[in-house]
Every structure is written in C-alpha cells, then in structure tokens.
Amino acid sequence: MLFNFEPPVTPGEVRAASLQFVRKITGFNKPSKANEAAFQAAIDAVAGASMHLLASLETNAPPRSREEEAAKARARSAERFPA
C-alpha cells in the first residue's frame, strides 16, 4: 500500500513496487539478456502509471504513519509465524 502516507511515497518506493509487480506477472526474478529491455520498459510503464494514479487519488482520511503501519505489519507477522 503506497497511498496516503506521511511522508508521501517516493519514486524509489513506487519503482520497487513496480519491480515486484513485473516479477510477479512474468515469473522472472531476473530476466535473460534477451528480455531485459522489455522487462525494464515494463517496470518504467508500471511505475509511471502508478505515480499518475497516486497523484490523482483524493481522500478525506488523515495520512497514515509509516511507523504505525510497520508495527501493525510486524504484529500480524508475529501472530502468523510465531517464533
């Protein structure tokens, strides 16, 4: 989730999410040399569309705190995967 955070999402975070998406869609963790250009072009396209989407969204909800959301995620993980 990248929308409505304080501080706002960075282009690097959007690019990392785009990389994950393209990896998921293609099934490639790292593309071959023959597919590298297409893979990078797809990451750029997804990142551009994502930045456009995030800039277009509106909300009346207060921005979420990254630290609080991270703590919630750690608590959910600890519950799912006890040590």
Side-chain angles (χ1 to χ4, degrees), residues 6-81:
E6 189 60 45
V9 67
T10 65
E13 290 169 320
V14 172
R15 184 154 182 86
S18 301
L19 172 60
Q20 287 179 330
F21 179 75
V22 172
R23 284 177 173 169
K24 181 75 169 182
I25 295 297
T26 62
F28 300 149
N29 189 34
K30 184 175 181 197
S32 66
K33 288 285 185 189
N35 292 321
E36 192 169 352
F39 194 82
Q40 292 301 321
I43 294 168
D44 293 340
V46 171
S50 298
M51 288 296 288
H52 178 74
L53 172 64
L54 291 169
S56 300
L57 295 174
E58 297 179 15
T59 185
N60 291 326
R64 292 181 298 244
S65 163
R66 290 180 184 273
E67 292 79 26
E68 288 175 18
E69 293 299 320
K72 289 178 193 176
R74 283 190 298 274
R76 284 191 305 270
S77 179
E79 189 175 305
R80 281 184 71 192
F81 307 105

